[in-house]
Amino acid sequence: MKTLKQLSLILLASIVLTACSNDDDGSNPEPVNEEEVITTLKATLTPVGGGTPITLQTQDLDGDGPDPAVITVSSALAVNTTYDGSLLLLNETESPAEEINEEIEEEDDEHQFFYQASNAVATFAYADFDGNGNPVGLEFTLTTAATASAGNITITLRHEPSKSAEGVSDGEITNAGGETDIQAVFPVVIE
Amino acid sequence: MKYYIMILFSCIFSWSQSQNCSSTLSGEVHDFHDGTPITNATIYIKSLNKYTTTDVNGYFFIKDLCNDAIVFEVTHLACETKNIDIDIDGDTFLVVNLEHHIEELNEVKVKGASTSKITKTTQETILKSETIDRFSSLNLGDVLKQISGVSSINTGSTIVKPVINGLHSSRIIVMTNGVRLQDQEWGIEHAPNIDLNTAGSINVIKGANALAYGGDAIGGVIVLKPSKISLKDSLYGKSIITGHSNGRGYNFNTSLTKTYKKGWYLGAQTSLKRFGDFKSPDYYLTNTGLNAKGLSFNGGFKSFEKGFNVYYSYLDNQIGILRASHIGNVEDLVNAINNPKPLVIEDFAYDINAPKQEVTHHVFKTEFYKRFKKFGRVDVQYDYQNNHRFEYDIRVGDDRDKAAVDLTLKTHTLKTSVKLDSKSNITYQFGLNAGYQNNFADPNTGVRRLIPDYDKYDAGAFVISNLRLNNDINVDFGLRYDFNQIDAKKFYLTSRWNERAYNNEFANLVIDDLGTQLLTNPIFNYHNISASAGISYQINDRNNFIFNYGLSNRAPNPSELFSDGLHHSAARIELGDLRLKKETSNRVSATYNYQNKGLSLSAETFYNYINDYIFVRPTGTEQTIRGAFPVWSYNQTNAVLYGLDVTANYTLNEQWFLKNKSSYIKGKDVTKNDALIDMPSVKTVNSLGFSNKKWLNLKTELQSELVFKQTNFPNNNFEVYIPTTEQMVLVDVSSTPPTYHLLHLQSNITLTISEKSNLNIGLNITNLLNTNYRENLNRLRYFADDLGRNIMLQLKLNY
């Protein structure tokens, strides 16, 4: 019986001690502001030879939350015109907004943007390349169709695509694989 | 205390009251685990100096006994000598279950029913250490599939969750050495944190009838017990080394136990397991390796009257998840489904990269018991568990090596039970338990918490009784009450809070408004009543029936209440629901057992009606900057599950046997009149076995596993616009993989090394024909084929 009594004492003591060690009651947990979330993609198209830049923007301020991304296109594009394009990626959940471009530039061999247009409203060419000479796509040129038309421009960012697969370095997404980090569809008018 | 005996149920009532000396004592001696008869056991009545031995069927009888209390001894070569007290009152029949090899205190049972099971009126199966050892290098879920009606839901081949009659996760209780495992079992990709090698035997009880363990086990209870401790001065151990061709895996497990005749014992066990990338018949499954380490100590003192046990176990699992299963949006999912091969295939490697899990689990337990004369046994137990789970996603930049999920779950449980077994025909057991659980989600992950911080309080009380009406009929009753309170602190995105319309119903839960996020403090209480009733009826030596009924309630788990985020492996947004109520199951089951010399047959049927069954289903799509995602929300419906599990063994002669294990199950959503998602397929396993003691105790078995295509499934397919192809595409997440057939071969021989040690060499080949297949309940079936051929060589040394 003596051993049992001692055991029960140890038992009780251990319960009391461990129960007291959980002292985080009362204080509230701290919120998590997601650091790597991309809320905003802004493509700025500047006509070669000058003119007013046109912006295509997708902005989803609640990240994976229920609100859909808001797509805005500042104005129509001109026919038969070449634009210099550049992308800006932002995390606007932080204040001031954090620029994400840098992270992609640092790991440019693992990222590639793809540009597609429906109804043949435009063609694209890459203007920046990673250390292996493969395209990245933060910089690009866009050439509009020769006739007035309307269609969609789709910009897709893939993480860890297989850049050496057939057609991928020419901007073909079909064989790219990888995971989609951004996908935005912009309805545009060529006039 | 020279002998260690326990009598649960002794003699049989006979209506004859007259005192005479013409009574016959007859009975059968069985192996406790599998019910096989023990031949040549000696039955010796000391006081009368009478003895006999059991025949080939384990049967014995002694004539001309007076109606009096007698003590008799049962001895057998492989077992310790047992003494049994019995009151002879007319012709008396009893069944003695002996435990082969290592004997535990109270495992000699004298019962009226010819059953080898611990519970008398439930659907229960026992797996012995021989079977467990064969799966030493695999998972709990793998070994349990040896039981008809138990399947698994997998994420690859290393995350294996047991499914009992179609139910899994929070609907199953896993007990390890008396401790209810608390290891975030709510998630489908959270496998039980158990090192199989710590178990000496595993009991699986289908349904919620084992109320002593908990009231919410709508699916069933899995009880892992450590190897039995024998009470003699001895030092013994076991080492197992296993090598696998598939995954180039190896496993090492060793255990050593020191026991003393006086009752003290101490045991230690450790295991190491390492696998690289597994291989399907045609390609490597990149990043599917595993690295596991386990350690356990078990010590204490035991005697018939009192004892204590202190137990500690540690497990560290690092598990890689198929690289190709990590995807960005629904378009990637469509590409993966449409591609016959995974999109990432690399050469073999042992490396485990993201996506991966790293889980550590500690169990500390201390228990003591004391038996009081003419009263019963009192048990008190305290246990503490610490479960720490990291999940690593594919991330970029500075966060590349940071975990995306970092959860620590700590659980304290105190429980006590009293078992009144002084009367021979009725026993009562009642118990109380209290628990405290704390979950902490580390915000340093930089990812919004999947499961919030919470405190959970549990209290429960139960009473169960077993009544032996006569030699042939056993009746069980049980009643249990549980109280659960969950007190969480959860951040919601304001947009999500409003979209779910929580702002109307739960506005009072908000304790802080951070603009884009709200801090809420949901506190929910649940009161659950569970009940169980069962009867077993031994019609004659060959036929036995069991009927039982179970009522159980389960409170929604944290995942069902609070899930709120993106699951990359499934390309879906999963949403819990604060409005969920508890679910209630009413399960009836019937079992028929038949046994004769050559044939043993067990047919188990069940019908389980679950009110407010909680499940997850697609409810639409949401657009994010990454593209479209289907939304899967937790819902409740009324569901019914019913099925039949059959196990049959047919012994042709001493060397050859045939075995069949088949299970059929159907799940229906009664409210919507539709099939239930994730139901196991119809399956039949047939084997032909051969054994010959003269050939180094050769045992070999050829197994044919046939799994039929699941034709009952809800259509959860949805259409989505794919911008890159500018098309609306049907996303087929519902269609099930075709029927598949696999052949497996098991064989082993045993070499005697010395008097006390032997070496068992096993050769097991799974998927002998290297068949390509995909299993419906493997969540990675969208991405890759299942495992190809595996040749496993195992050396087991008992000493």
Side-chain angles (χ1 to χ4, degrees):
Chain A
M1 268 320 273
K2 209 175 173 189
T3 33
L4 287 179
K5 274 182 189 163
Q6 284 167 348
L7 264 176
S8 59
L9 270 177
I10 294 167
L11 191 89
L12 281 171
S14 62
I15 293 163
V16 171
L17 287 174
T18 41
C20 294
S21 64
N22 283 289
D23 53 358
D24 43 9
D25 296 40
S27 60
N28 287 337
E30 48 179 292
V32 175
N33 290 310
E34 300 213 332
E35 293 146 18
E36 66 210 287
V37 92
I38 303 169
T39 58
T40 310
L41 168 78
K42 191 173 183 178
T44 306
L45 306 174
T46 313
V48 173
T52 315
I54 297 166
T55 56
L56 314 178
Q57 180 177 286
T58 173
Q59 188 186 40
D60 190 355
L61 292 177
D62 76 340
D64 298 332
D67 296 341
V70 177
I71 306 271
T72 44
V73 178
S74 65
S75 71
L77 281 75
V79 288
N80 209 11
T81 309
T82 299
Y83 294 87
D84 280 326
S86 69
L87 296 181
L88 177 67
L89 293 103
L90 296 174
N91 173 5
E92 293 188 86
T93 62
E94 295 195 5
S95 176
E98 188 197 357
E99 200 182 306
I100 313 283
N101 287 40
E102 208 174 289
E103 286 192 11
I104 290 171
E105 282 158 9
E106 277 169 13
E107 294 166 359
D108 55 8
D109 56 330
E110 291 180 6
H111 290 93
Q112 186 174 344
F113 288 90
F114 294 89
Y115 297 90
Q116 289 167 285
S118 68
N119 207 16
V121 290
T123 56
F124 305 90
Y126 287 104
D128 58 345
F129 298 89
D130 64 20
N132 306 320
N134 290 316
V136 181
L138 282 166
E139 308 288 334
F140 61 99
T141 60
L142 180 157
T143 307
T144 53
T147 52
S149 54
N152 290 330
I153 290 176
T154 300
I155 303 178
T156 307
L157 170 62
R158 286 277 171 93
H159 180 220
E160 296 192 357
S162 122
K163 290 197 183 188
S164 56
E166 196 189 336
V168 175
S169 59
D170 299 327
E172 285 238 21
I173 198 167
T174 321
N175 298 320
E179 300 141 36
T180 306
D181 276 352
I182 298 175
Q183 186 162 62
V185 182
F186 302 97
V188 293
V189 177
I190 312 290
E191 55 183 35
Chain B
M1 284 303 294
K2 192 171 178 188
Y3 297 108
Y4 303 93
I5 321 137
M6 179 178 167
I7 299 166
L8 285 183
F9 303 97
S10 60
C11 80
I12 289 82
F13 270 111
S14 150
W15 295 111
S16 109
Q17 300 290 320
S18 59
Q19 178 74 26
N20 60 47
C21 288
S22 61
S23 301
T24 302
L25 170 68
S26 60
E28 283 170 18
V29 180
H30 288 166
D31 181 341
F32 177 76
H33 284 307
D34 58 6
T36 52
I38 293 177
T39 316
N40 270 328
T42 307
I43 316 294
Y44 174 55
I45 304 175
K46 278 180 184 170
S47 50
L48 306 171
N49 200 23
K50 285 189 175 192
Y51 68 93
T52 184
T53 54
T54 54
D55 66 11
V56 281
N57 295 321
Y59 183 78
F60 70 87
F61 70 99
I62 299 174
K63 284 198 281 198
D64 302 333
L65 295 174
C66 304
N67 283 354
D68 195 5
I70 58 162
V71 180
F72 69 95
E73 200 176 74
V74 186
T75 42
H76 188 257
L77 206 63
C79 316
E80 264 193 300
T81 304
K82 300 297 145 201
N83 278 21
I84 292 168
D85 298 295
I86 192 164
D87 290 318
I88 300 292
D89 189 6
D91 288 348
T92 304
F93 176 86
L94 53 82
V95 172
V96 180
N97 282 307
L98 281 187
E99 164 77 22
H100 264 89
H101 306 300
I102 303 154
E103 180 60 54
E104 198 194 39
L105 185 61
N106 45 5
E107 297 299 344
V108 172
K109 295 193 173 181
V110 184
K111 296 190 274 187
S114 112
T115 163
S116 59
K117 287 154 189 176
I118 290 175
T119 54
K120 291 166 195 71
T121 63
T122 67
Q123 296 177 331
E124 179 181 345
T125 313
I126 301 165
L127 293 174
K128 296 197 281 187
S129 65
E130 195 188 328
T131 312
I132 296 168
D133 288 345
R134 186 150 49 85
F135 287 84
S136 170
S137 51
L138 301 172
N139 302 292
L140 177 65
D142 294 313
V143 69
L144 294 178
K145 280 196 273 188
Q146 300 303 303
I147 299 171
S148 175
V150 181
S151 46
S152 70
I153 189 156
N154 289 27
T155 304
S157 58
T158 48
I159 301 176
V160 186
K161 300 206 75 173
V163 178
I164 302 177
N165 287 155
L167 301 171
H168 56 84
S169 302
S170 295
R171 297 188 181 97
I172 290 181
I173 292 178
V174 179
M175 301 293 300
T176 172
N177 194 6
V179 179
R180 178 175 178 167
L181 199 63
Q182 297 283 355
D183 61 343
Q184 313 187 30
E185 66 285 348
W186 48 69
I188 281 184
E189 67 285 3
H190 300 186
N193 289 287
I194 287 275
D195 180 0
L196 198 53
N197 295 296
T198 58
S201 66
I202 304 175
N203 298 38
V204 175
I205 301 160
K206 295 173 182 169
N209 293 76
L211 293 184
Y213 301 115
D216 51 355
I218 291 174
V221 182
I222 298 163
V223 183
L224 292 94
K225 295 179 188 169
S227 291
K228 310 264 161 65
I229 301 295
S230 63
L231 294 167
K232 54 186 176 187
D233 290 324
S234 175
L235 177 69
Y236 57 90
K238 180 162 74 179
S239 293
I240 302 174
I241 299 172
T242 316
H244 290 254
S245 66
N246 198 338
R248 300 183 199 172
Y250 52 89
N251 177 56
F252 176 70
N253 173 55
T254 191
S255 64
L256 198 62
T257 307
K258 174 75 185 140
T259 59
Y260 297 91
K261 206 170 178 180
K262 285 187 170 174
W264 296 93
Y265 61 94
L266 185 66
Q269 171 270 341
T270 183
S271 66
L272 292 169
K273 180 155 64 168
R274 185 93 200 258
F275 278 89
D277 293 339
F278 287 91
K279 197 171 183 261
S280 76
D282 300 330
Y283 42 80
Y284 282 106
L285 301 165
T286 298
N287 201 46
T288 53
L290 169 74
N291 192 353
K293 299 179 209 69
L295 185 69
S296 69
F297 296 100
N298 192 24
F301 173 81
K302 68 192 275 182
S303 71
F304 182 70
E305 285 173 349
K306 63 189 176 196
F308 74 92
N309 174 251
V310 177
Y311 175 77
Y312 168 75
S313 79
Y314 166 76
L315 184 69
D316 175 17
N317 270 336
Q318 242 190 79
I319 306 172
I321 296 172
L322 184 71
R323 176 62 183 84
S325 72
H326 192 272
I327 46 187
N329 66 7
V330 76
E331 178 176 333
D332 298 350
L333 179 65
V334 170
N335 289 341
I337 292 174
N338 293 343
N339 220 303
K341 280 186 173 188
L343 292 163
V344 182
I345 298 174
E346 287 164 17
D347 290 339
F348 174 86
Y350 279 108
D351 305 340
I352 299 172
N353 299 311
K356 65 173 177 179
Q357 306 180 350
E358 196 173 334
V359 188
T360 52
H361 192 82
H362 302 262
V363 176
F364 171 77
K365 170 205 144 176
T366 173
E367 176 208 8
F368 66 96
Y369 66 88
K370 169 127 179 86
R371 183 176 285 281
F372 298 92
K373 263 182 199 166
K374 293 183 180 173
F375 177 70
R377 175 176 152 145
V378 180
D379 263 270
V380 180
Q381 179 181 315
Y382 164 75
D383 58 76
Y384 168 70
Q385 294 176 76
N386 183 310
N387 185 276
H388 196 171
R389 160 174 284 268
F390 293 102
E391 289 182 12
Y392 294 86
D393 243 335
I394 291 166
R395 300 175 76 171
V396 294
D398 301 339
D399 296 328
R400 183 173 282 266
D401 299 319
K402 229 191 227 183
V405 172
D406 179 352
L407 296 172
T408 308
L409 184 70
K410 295 177 190 162
T411 313
H412 302 266
T413 309
L414 180 64
K415 62 183 183 184
T416 177
S417 76
V418 177
K419 189 168 186 178
L420 308 178
D421 56 5
S422 59
K423 287 184 186 156
S424 60
N425 60 342
I426 185 157
T427 59
Y428 293 101
Q429 190 186 353
F430 47 86
L432 297 168
N433 71 286
Y436 167 72
Q437 185 170 75
N438 172 265
N439 184 59
F440 172 67
D442 196 325
N444 289 328
T445 55
V447 176
R448 292 184 57 252
R449 296 168 177 88
L450 210 58
I451 301 287
D453 289 6
Y454 71 78
D455 290 309
K456 187 164 171 278
Y457 304 89
D458 299 298
F462 71 89
V463 56
I464 51 183
S465 69
N466 175 272
L467 174 67
R468 214 169 56 88
L469 289 180
N470 61 36
N471 198 30
D472 302 323
I473 299 179
N474 261 287
V475 183
D476 276 328
F477 292 105
L479 194 62
R480 186 177 171 110
Y481 165 78
D482 284 284
F483 168 75
N484 316 112
Q485 183 188 73
I486 187 159
D487 177 348
K489 289 205 171 139
K490 173 163 172 66
F491 289 96
Y492 279 92
L493 286 174
T494 310
S495 56
R496 178 67 69 200
W497 183 258
N498 295 338
E499 179 264 336
R500 299 260 93 193
Y502 290 156
N503 49 344
N504 303 326
E505 221 168 311
F506 296 107
N508 57 330
L509 300 185
V510 178
I511 54 175
D512 198 5
D513 188 340
L514 304 166
T516 55
Q517 293 192 54
L518 297 170
L519 177 61
T520 63
N521 182 202
I523 302 174
F524 296 129
N525 295 325
Y526 301 94
H527 300 273
N528 298 334
I529 300 275
S530 29
S532 161
I535 181 165
S536 79
Y537 179 36
Q538 187 75 32
I539 300 164
N540 52 38
D541 286 357
R542 297 189 164 172
N543 296 286
N544 159 258
F545 274 106
I546 296 172
F547 292 100
N548 80 39
Y549 163 75
L551 162 73
S552 57
N553 286 287
R554 183 180 71 87
N557 65 36
S559 164
E560 291 160 341
L561 289 170
F562 305 122
S563 271
D564 155 27
L566 189 59
H567 258 251
H568 270 288
S569 66
R572 68 196 199 189
I573 293 170
E574 262 180 31
L575 298 178
D577 197 331
L578 294 178
R579 301 177 187 92
L580 292 179
K581 297 171 287 190
K582 65 185 178 188
E583 58 181 25
T584 305
S585 146
N586 282 278
R587 183 183 190 270
V588 284
S589 73
T591 307
Y592 169 66
N593 294 305
Y594 175 82
Q595 187 147 19
N596 73 15
K597 229 177 187 177
L599 177 71
S600 77
L601 173 79
S602 163
E604 301 178 318
T605 66
F606 70 95
Y607 182 92
N608 195 352
Y609 191 97
I610 307 174
N611 281 93
D612 299 320
Y613 176 78
I614 301 171
F615 71 115
V616 64
R617 72 174 171 93
T619 48
T621 55
E622 275 179 10
Q623 283 291 334
T624 75
I625 198 162
R626 273 186 259 238
F629 287 93
V631 177
W632 289 60
S633 312
Y634 282 95
N635 277 268
Q636 292 191 295
T637 189
N638 293 338
V640 60
L641 292 94
Y642 55 92
L644 171 69
D645 305 325
V646 175
T647 308
N649 288 286
Y650 183 63
T651 312
L652 294 162
N653 57 37
E654 265 189 21
Q655 294 178 337
W656 294 91
F657 67 88
L658 292 168
K659 243 183 349 195
N660 170 277
K661 285 175 189 167
S662 302
S663 55
Y664 168 86
I665 177 171
K666 211 162 183 181
K668 266 186 84 174
D669 179 335
V670 181
T671 314
K672 286 177 65 194
N673 194 23
D674 197 0
L676 276 188
I677 194 168
D678 286 345
M679 284 294 124
S681 312
V682 178
K683 178 176 162 179
T684 178
V685 180
N686 291 286
S687 15
L688 172 67
F690 173 81
S691 64
N692 192 332
K693 287 212 163 102
K694 287 174 196 160
W695 301 351
L696 298 170
N697 208 0
L698 171 74
K699 290 178 189 167
T700 180
E701 195 178 319
L702 181 68
Q703 223 178 53
S704 141
E705 179 183 352
L706 179 62
V707 179
F708 292 93
K709 179 183 164 81
Q710 177 57 275
T711 50
N712 293 294
F713 56 87
N715 186 348
N716 287 327
N717 295 343
F718 55 93
E719 282 209 324
V720 73
Y721 176 72
I722 304 294
T724 55
T725 57
E726 298 169 43
Q727 280 172 339
M728 287 301 285
V729 171
L730 183 76
V731 187
D732 185 359
V733 291
S734 309
S735 295
T736 51
T739 299
Y740 63 88
H741 178 248
L742 306 174
L743 282 181
H744 312 298
L745 182 75
Q746 297 163 10
S747 51
N748 67 80
I749 53 171
T750 307
L751 310 172
T752 307
I753 293 175
S754 72
E755 200 185 320
K756 284 187 171 171
S757 57
N758 64 58
L759 175 68
N760 179 284
I761 303 171
L763 176 72
N764 294 329
I765 306 174
T766 46
N767 195 358
L768 198 64
L769 302 178
N770 214 16
T771 306
N772 287 297
Y773 73 101
R774 294 188 187 204
E775 163 55 43
N776 183 32
L777 290 188
N778 190 334
R779 301 216 313 159
L780 302 189
R781 70 176 170 93
Y782 301 122
F783 309 104
D785 282 348
D786 225 302
L787 297 192
R789 184 189 299 124
N790 179 36
I791 302 170
M792 169 180 130
L793 187 68
Q794 186 178 70
L795 305 179
K796 178 167 76 171
L797 187 65
N798 285 301
Y799 43 88

